[in-house]
Amino acid sequence: MTASAAILDDVGSQPAVDDSFFSLQAVSKSYGDSWNRTEVLSGVNLGISEGEFVAIVGFSGSGKTTLVSLMGGLIEPDSGSILLGGAPVQGPGPDRGIVFQNYSLLPWLNVRDNVALAVDEIFSDWSASDRENQVRRFVEMVNLGEAMEKYPAELSGGMRQRVSVARALATNPKILLLDEPLSALDALTRATLQDEIERIWEEDRKTVLLITNDVDEAILLADRIIPLSPGPRATLGPSFPVRLERPRDRKAINHDPEFKKVRNMVTQYLMDAAASVRSQTYTAPVSLPDVQPADLSAPRISIVR
Amino acid sequence: MSTRARVIRGFEFAGLDLFVPFIRLFSGENPREQVATIVRTFGTPLVAIAVFLCAWSAIAASIETSIGAVPGPVAVWEEAKNLVAEHRQERQKEAEFYVRMEKLKEQYAAQGRPWKDRKYSGKPTYFDQIWTSLETVFAGFIIASLVAVPVGILCGLSPTFYAAVNPLIQVFKPVSPLAWLPIVMILVSGLYTSENPMFEKSFISSAVTVALCSLWPTLVNTALGVAAVDRDYLNVARVLKLSWWRTVTKIVIPSSLPLIFTGLRLSLGVGWMVLIAAEMLAQNPGLGKFVWDMFQNGSSQTLAQIMVAVATIGIIGFLLDRMMISLQRLVSYDAAAV
């Protein structure tokens, strides 16, 4: 533990939760009935300031999607509270725009109408032309102005995810929740979209919470990285600030000592957390059957005449 | 998109996929493959039809009934031509009747006598009967859809409502049109007592019977489609805080349209099948009544005429199905996935 303790000296031990813009306080969530109960998230504390870009990094199956569903209000926590701008959140709402992992575009609507569905609902008191401009502005912001009339089935995965981002941003949410938005994309598209997300964030400095399993992606985009220890009973670790100048160039930062340091710290923390979970889990020794490989050089009796 | 691609899209949309290889062939796209496709999709069915006609012809000649030999394909074809000729004759007579009436009207006017318009009252021709049948089936189909789609949506939205009506659905679904018809006829003659009726009672009885028998596939498929709406789409609605009504109209219905249309297509097929039986008993002047009248006739042409009717019923049923497939493609967003 000495190595990670030394690393931990460098970072804020626990995130401040009091006067944050968006905060989770001792949030827990279990699944299953009383007989077979699994606590997925346990005592999660989190505080995000306005305009901050925070990344939560965790392994698959550590409860990342449960966490984002809780923040989005799609599911209710068993205990603890979630506050946005000081007020507790009640159910889902347009103040927390969610970009889902699987895009969740409506396949019977084209790009324009997918975004317009959200804009028309949230800004129903605007004039038709204002709403149309809002749709156009955000579709163009994600560089899809040419694809306005296309249907989701005609778009690539990366383009679909851009539409999803445009839809979430166009409703002007107070915070944008990105639930592994790039995990279904190939490496090249992924890199392009990472740059795009950074550019968009630079443009309007929205409060963003990114959930990802990619440490590099988190470092490239976020102001602060918080690892999620592997579940069950997953919880958030200490936060690791990323002190890299923006805009960040993905090629240049690869050699940046700060990048390497943060990367090592986060990875080390996650590995240690995983190891401690594994050591707590009892695994029965597997007894292997005592078999010897057949001796093929021995003379064989043919049964085929 | 090139013109050729557009034409092919259009043909596919119209349900004429069969003809796509011809377009490809004429535009010189991989001729060998196109010819092979054409031989498979046209050649083999044509051979099968030829074999069927030969077998029919051979077997028919060897069966003797009380009203003569069973007609072969040639006799049936002759009868079909007779029915067309009869139709033309009747139309001509009708036209002549109205010309006479027009002249008579002028005479009356000249003599200052009052004139009352009279309608031609010739017997309905085969084509009139086909038209009546189509009107009846669509009337029944529309009634069925107006009931089945909303009820199906409610069933899909509310498991409680579905649990409540499911036993009724299961019990009424297998009831034969022949059992419904007498009830419907009695109810119609009891309830529909207008001095100057807009529709014939036989028409309403047949249409309602068609509706009663054909609403089930639409109801069940709609319920299924609505219940199976992707959770992600509903989450989108929840995040946007769409009202119940907007969630249903903007998310639930569009997402279940493909299955609703599958149900409608099955319903129209069932309706067309039920219609013939209903018309026979209700004496609605459509194809069913035609078959029944020919059967009562017992002339030497009876069998051939009924066979023409059978072929007509089959072909119209096929065309209705193609029509519904095209509609289904129009609303099916999955079809856009290339």
Side-chain angles (χ1 to χ4, degrees):
Chain A
M1 197 55 199
T2 48
S4 32
I7 291 170
L8 288 179
D9 286 344
D10 190 49
V11 301
S13 54
Q14 273 295 313
V17 289
D18 308 316
D19 52 343
S20 303
F21 179 64
F22 181 67
S23 65
L24 272 67
Q25 294 170 358
V27 169
S28 298
K29 178 70 188 172
S30 310
Y31 287 123
D33 51 36
S34 51
W35 295 102
N36 188 11
R37 207 164 173 77
T38 317
E39 193 168 24
V40 182
L41 293 172
S42 170
V44 174
N45 289 310
L46 173 69
I48 303 178
S49 326
E50 195 162 5
E52 200 180 11
F53 195 132
V54 173
I56 290 180
V57 184
F59 294 117
S60 325
S62 55
K64 295 198 295 287
T65 298
T66 305
L67 187 59
V68 86
S69 301
L70 281 168
M71 293 176 184
L74 296 171
I75 55 177
E76 293 286 315
D78 296 336
S79 61
S81 54
I82 301 170
L83 305 169
L84 178 62
V89 303
Q90 299 286 337
D95 51 354
R96 282 147 293 142
I98 308 180
V99 173
F100 296 96
Q101 189 174 357
N102 46 7
Y103 326 131
S104 293
L105 298 178
L106 305 176
W108 56 89
L109 296 180
N110 62 21
V111 170
R112 176 204 307 277
D113 293 342
N114 260 293
V115 179
L117 177 79
V119 170
D120 292 350
E121 185 65 28
I122 306 303
F123 303 114
S124 49
D125 50 338
W126 289 14
S127 73
S129 62
D130 282 353
R131 280 180 276 148
E132 210 179 297
N133 287 339
Q134 176 84 348
V135 171
R136 178 169 300 282
R137 195 184 131 211
F138 282 90
V139 173
E140 276 166 5
M141 183 188 253
V142 296
N143 285 334
L144 281 178
E146 307 289 304
M148 275 283 203
E149 312 297 333
K150 289 230 160 90
Y151 285 85
E154 300 169 297
L155 302 176
S156 68
M159 290 161 96
R160 287 182 210 180
Q161 195 56 288
R162 286 171 203 219
V163 181
S164 187
V165 170
R167 179 176 65 184
L169 283 174
T171 59
N172 193 25
K174 291 181 181 157
I175 181 168
L176 187 63
L177 305 172
L178 306 169
D179 177 18
E180 296 197 58
L182 310 179
S183 62
L185 304 175
D186 63 272
L188 275 174
T189 317
R190 222 180 148 135
T192 322
L193 254 85
Q194 284 165 356
D195 294 346
E196 198 117 314
I197 289 175
E198 204 201 354
R199 178 182 61 77
I200 292 168
W201 183 78
E202 290 283 344
E203 264 175 47
D204 64 2
R205 294 272 168 170
K206 191 139 298 250
T207 312
V208 179
L209 188 126
L210 167 75
I211 304 247
T212 181
N213 56 16
D214 182 346
V215 180
D216 291 6
E217 179 175 295
I219 300 174
L220 185 70
L221 295 172
D223 296 326
R224 191 146 64 87
I225 298 174
I226 306 172
L228 182 67
S229 70
R233 296 181 59 79
T235 193
L236 290 176
S239 50
F240 297 85
V242 185
R243 297 190 190 87
L244 286 167
E245 283 300 306
R246 288 181 191 268
R248 293 168 186 169
D249 177 0
R250 68 173 57 252
K251 282 192 211 104
I253 63 166
N254 265 323
H255 308 288
D256 192 297
E258 169 77 8
F259 173 88
K260 287 181 185 166
K261 193 180 96 192
V262 176
R263 193 173 196 282
N264 283 337
M265 286 195 297
V266 174
T267 313
Q268 192 59 48
Y269 180 87
L270 283 169
M271 303 281 272
D272 289 349
S276 78
V277 166
R278 229 175 290 127
S279 67
Q280 286 163 17
T281 323
Y282 173 77
T283 41
V286 182
S287 56
L288 295 171
D290 181 25
V291 287
Q292 297 295 321
D295 183 6
L296 296 178
S297 63
R300 273 171 295 170
I301 304 156
S302 172
I303 55 165
V304 184
R305 281 165 212 274
Chain B
M1 213 178 345
S2 71
T3 321
R4 188 173 60 95
R6 256 180 232 280
V7 172
I8 290 175
R9 252 270 178 82
F11 268 69
E12 281 173 347
F13 174 69
L16 300 172
D17 313 42
L18 278 178
F19 297 98
V20 169
F22 284 103
I23 305 166
R24 292 193 198 275
L25 182 66
F26 291 131
S27 63
E29 179 187 322
N30 200 355
R32 188 184 290 269
E33 191 188 312
Q34 305 313 330
V35 169
T37 316
I38 290 168
V39 167
R40 192 175 64 244
T41 53
F42 279 91
T44 44
L46 284 177
V47 170
I49 290 169
V51 169
F52 168 74
L53 291 177
C54 291
W56 172 13
S57 171
I59 295 167
S62 65
I63 302 175
E64 199 62 38
T65 69
S66 57
I67 52 169
V70 172
V74 179
V76 171
W77 180 243
E78 287 304 318
E79 200 50 57
K81 287 201 287 195
N82 279 345
L83 285 170
V84 174
E86 229 171 69
H87 171 76
R88 291 223 177 99
Q89 254 174 8
E90 194 67 22
R91 280 285 178 278
Q92 202 179 343
K93 270 168 61 185
E94 188 181 348
E96 284 165 4
F97 170 85
Y98 281 119
V99 169
R100 271 206 314 277
M101 285 300 112
E102 210 44 47
K103 278 184 186 155
L104 216 57
K105 191 178 172 181
E106 278 164 24
Q107 276 181 20
Y108 269 53
Q111 295 168 2
R113 287 161 66 190
W115 172 258
K116 196 174 172 247
D117 271 328
R118 269 191 290 167
K119 267 186 118 177
Y120 180 71
S121 58
K123 76 177 173 77
T125 68
Y126 189 59
F127 290 93
D128 294 334
Q129 287 169 316
I130 293 176
W131 186 245
T132 306
S133 280
L134 285 172
E135 278 177 347
T136 317
V137 82
F138 275 105
F141 175 64
I142 289 168
I143 298 170
S145 311
L146 289 180
V147 175
V149 173
V151 175
I153 290 172
L154 286 179
C155 282
L157 288 175
S158 158
T160 319
F161 184 73
Y162 185 61
V165 298
N166 192 33
L168 295 174
I169 296 175
Q170 299 303 331
V171 167
F172 286 132
K173 197 167 64 166
V175 175
S176 154
L178 301 178
W180 282 121
L181 190 70
I183 302 176
V184 174
M185 281 170 77
I186 292 168
L187 285 179
V188 166
S189 51
L191 296 172
Y192 190 67
T193 48
S194 152
E195 276 301 304
N196 190 12
M198 197 173 148
F199 302 108
E200 294 291 324
K201 280 181 181 173
S202 62
F203 171 82
I204 293 180
S205 305
S206 307
V208 170
T209 307
V210 165
L212 278 174
C213 294
S214 69
L215 61 86
W216 310 110
T218 302
L219 205 167
V220 172
N221 275 284
T222 305
L224 192 70
V226 169
V229 173
D230 201 321
R231 284 207 68 80
D232 293 337
Y233 303 159
L234 293 176
N235 278 341
V236 171
R238 290 178 65 198
V239 170
L240 294 175
K241 290 215 160 141
L242 293 188
S243 65
W244 182 86
W245 178 249
R246 295 217 354 133
T247 306
V248 170
T249 53
K250 294 275 169 184
I251 312 274
V252 172
I253 293 178
S255 140
S256 45
L257 265 188
L259 262 177
I260 293 178
F261 268 80
T262 305
L264 289 175
R265 182 183 155 205
L266 292 172
S267 280
L268 189 56
V270 169
W272 182 242
M273 219 142 75
V274 163
L275 175 76
I276 306 301
E279 282 182 340
M280 267 190 193
L281 291 181
Q283 292 292 298
N284 186 42
L287 282 168
K289 185 172 188 299
F290 173 84
V291 171
W292 185 251
D293 289 349
M294 291 308 114
F295 174 62
Q296 295 296 324
N297 227 358
S299 79
S300 57
Q301 294 165 325
T302 290
L303 275 173
Q305 283 175 330
I306 294 178
M307 284 180 188
V308 173
V310 166
T312 312
I313 292 164
I315 290 167
I316 292 176
F318 170 71
L319 293 177
L320 290 178
D321 195 51
R322 296 309 305 187
M323 186 188 82
M324 290 307 286
I325 290 178
S326 295
L327 273 180
Q328 209 178 340
R329 286 189 186 177
L330 185 67
V331 300
S332 173
Y333 46 84
D334 292 329
V338 186

